Amino acid sequence: MSLGLPLVSCSIDDAYSDEEYRDRIQKAKEELGDRVMILGHHYQRDSIVEHADATGDSFRLSRMAADSTAEHIVFCGVHFMAESADILTNDQQIVSMPTTRAGCSMADMANLPDVEECWHTLLDELDLSDPISRENPEELATENDNFLVPVTYMNSSAALKAFVGKHGGIVCTSTNAQGVLEWALGRAGGLGKVLFFPDQHLGRNTASKMGFELDDMAVWNPQTIPNIDEINRAKFVLWHGYCSVHQRFTVDQIDRLRDAFPNALVVVHPECDQKVVHAADADGSTDFIRRFCEEAPPGSIIGVGTEINLVQRLNSQYPDKEIHCLDDSVCPCSTMYMIHPRFLAEQLESIINGDRRNIITIDKQTSKDAIKALNRMLEV
Ligand code: 13P
Ligand code: SF4
């Protein structure tokens, strides 16, 4: 087991040094003052995080966006996060990203046509009702009700959040997944089901924490013919999506760490496989992981199953602990990493110059439907 943390480095071919980007960003921020708020997800590189007015997991950042009064929100994270920020801010506020190319491969694993096909197949083939038929989707269902309640992970497009909002469903993040699934079960009724997309692992790990068995969960893979009998027996239908970063973590890595350091603590993100989550001491959102490391006693050795930029930052923030990534090879989220200081400098300068670029705009109808699902989440 290597104790040295792998270094993540990335340069883009241009004429400026890191120092020059830092100066440009600071100068632009000073000029913009309260007009701009920079939000940075925990997976961003240090040279972005140092300029963020607030950092956090996707739940905290969506709350920050909802509460902000800044004219411009520059989102340093991935596309679905900026979309949610646009939905949660008012019409006068402008949400942009340093580059709109930073997407999330997991979010892309579920698209609206595929989800609609799944939805109609489940309603047609199983004895289930659309929550749209209810007068009040917020009300608890009865033992005899049979609603199919859609739940989408925050890591999904605005179109899917709108679908969920329209059909009486809800959004969740890794911070509140259990509360949200309890909410959804309460609205599904005794004969109903929950359709969860796109991350099968978060769905499985959360349902399992709530006491459900694997037989209570069926997987919907849009590429294969569905096994309707298996789905009929299940309470949760989990979309076949996954995160390519978190699926790299294995129980073997945890065993090797504990062989080398029997007292080592292990914390992982719930996007990891269920076996990995079971083998860890704790699991939770990126903010939970940050707090776990902060609160661990001095001298702790902590193995972390999440993105490398966050792990490296935690290791340097807590020099009295040894915090390293469970995976020996570098494990970055390549799309989060697309946010380079050069693009942040250019984005801030373009705001000063009045150029409208990299703006994230969700149309009115999509926003109106999606906000129902986001507000249900914020109230849970
Ligand atoms: P958090 O909500 O825990 O920050 O997770 C977002 C994410 O994309 C993890 O891969
Ligand atoms: Fe998406 Fe995975 Fe990157 Fe998170 S770590 S943004 S789920 S690809």
Side-chain angles (χ1 to χ4, degrees):
M1 180 100 223
S2 146
L3 276 181
L5 284 161
L7 285 175
V8 176
S9 67
C10 173
S11 57
I12 56 176
D13 193 17
D14 60 35
Y16 291 90
S17 68
D18 285 356
E19 282 307 313
E20 284 165 320
Y21 286 127
R22 180 175 291 124
D23 289 348
R24 279 173 63 184
I25 294 169
Q26 283 172 351
K27 197 164 154 270
K29 269 193 84 176
E30 267 167 40
E31 189 166 341
L32 286 163
D34 291 346
R35 288 181 62 207
V36 72
M37 182 183 210
I38 301 177
L39 296 178
H41 187 265
H42 287 311
Y43 290 164
Q44 291 293 299
R45 57 178 91 200
D46 287 350
S47 53
I48 293 292
V49 166
E50 67 176 289
H51 302 293
D53 296 302
T55 54
D57 59 15
S58 40
F59 181 72
R60 181 173 139 82
L61 293 177
S62 64
R63 272 210 180 280
M64 302 287 305
D67 294 343
S68 166
T69 51
E71 181 189 340
H72 289 271
I73 294 193
V74 177
F75 213 114
C76 299
V78 286
H79 202 267
F80 71 81
M81 297 179 180
E83 283 190 337
S84 299
D86 183 55
I87 293 166
L88 289 166
T89 47
N90 68 40
D91 289 349
Q92 280 68 52
Q93 291 173 293
I94 298 169
V95 176
S96 63
M97 295 176 74
T99 167
T100 54
R101 284 171 53 233
C104 162
S105 53
M106 178 215 279
D108 293 343
M109 288 178 190
N111 60 40
L112 186 60
D114 284 350
V115 167
E116 282 181 332
E117 191 182 326
C118 164
W119 179 255
H120 291 297
T121 307
L122 296 181
L123 290 183
D124 294 348
E125 304 251 347
L126 307 173
D127 187 21
L128 292 169
S129 308
D130 190 332
I132 239 167
S133 59
R134 307 187 73 186
E135 248 171 61
N136 180 7
E138 320 297 326
E139 234 171 50
L140 281 173
T142 70
E143 271 310 292
N144 298 324
D145 281 329
N146 61 348
F147 296 109
L148 177 61
V149 178
V151 179
T152 189
Y153 187 24
M154 190 64 124
N155 300 35
S156 59
S157 66
L160 287 186
K161 292 186 179 84
F163 172 88
V164 160
K166 256 197 315 209
H167 291 278
I170 186 164
V171 175
C172 81
T173 69
S174 50
T175 299
N176 56 25
Q178 182 159 345
V180 166
L181 283 197
E182 278 159 9
W183 182 98
L185 282 177
R187 272 81 192 158
L191 305 174
K193 295 188 195 304
V194 172
L195 171 61
F196 185 91
F197 40 84
D199 185 22
Q200 58 176 306
H201 298 294
L202 179 65
R204 190 174 296 113
N205 287 322
T206 312
S208 158
K209 264 187 216 151
M210 291 160 71
F212 287 91
E213 302 294 335
L214 285 181
D215 285 350
D216 299 316
M217 308 167 212
V219 173
W220 178 279
N221 184 341
Q223 318 287 349
T224 59
I225 296 168
N227 181 336
I228 293 295
D229 287 340
E230 199 180 290
I231 294 175
N232 204 14
R233 286 192 295 273
K235 194 71 186 164
F236 296 92
V237 183
L238 309 176
W239 196 264
H240 187 267
Y242 56 86
C243 165
S244 50
V245 175
H246 288 96
Q247 75 162 6
R248 291 169 58 113
F249 297 107
T250 62
V251 175
D252 196 44
Q253 292 164 350
I254 298 180
D255 290 344
R256 276 190 282 137
L257 177 73
R258 288 192 177 132
D259 282 349
F261 307 102
N263 295 328
L265 298 168
V266 176
V267 61
V268 300
H269 196 278
E271 287 173 13
C272 294
D273 185 273
Q274 191 189 21
K275 292 189 189 75
V276 173
V277 170
H278 280 172
D281 296 297
D283 70 283
S285 74
T286 50
D287 212 51
F288 175 92
I289 292 172
R290 187 192 60 72
R291 273 180 282 124
F292 183 94
C293 293
E294 185 180 78
E295 287 160 18
S300 298
I301 293 177
I302 311 171
V304 183
T306 201
E307 208 269 351
I308 190 73
N309 276 295
L310 174 56
V311 183
Q312 289 188 329
R313 186 171 316 116
L314 290 169
N315 189 53
S316 39
Q317 274 171 347
Y318 303 108
D320 58 339
K321 302 166 201 180
E322 208 173 298
I323 301 170
H324 51 113
C325 188
L326 284 173
D327 190 349
D328 266 351
S329 42
V330 176
C331 211
C333 170
S334 54
T335 47
M336 285 275 182
Y337 213 56
M338 284 178 178
I339 309 288
H340 188 278
R342 167 180 162 181
F343 302 138
L344 178 56
E346 288 172 356
Q347 189 58 26
L348 295 174
E349 287 162 359
S350 78
I351 294 174
I352 292 170
N353 295 336
D355 302 336
R356 290 181 64 84
R357 47 172 256 171
N358 295 336
I359 292 174
I360 308 297
T361 315
I362 305 302
D363 69 78
K364 275 210 162 45
Q365 188 55 50
T366 306
S367 280
K368 200 169 151 228
D369 291 330
I371 205 154
K372 290 184 202 154
L374 282 163
N375 280 340
R376 285 181 190 125
M377 171 188 85
L378 293 175
E379 279 158 25
V380 160

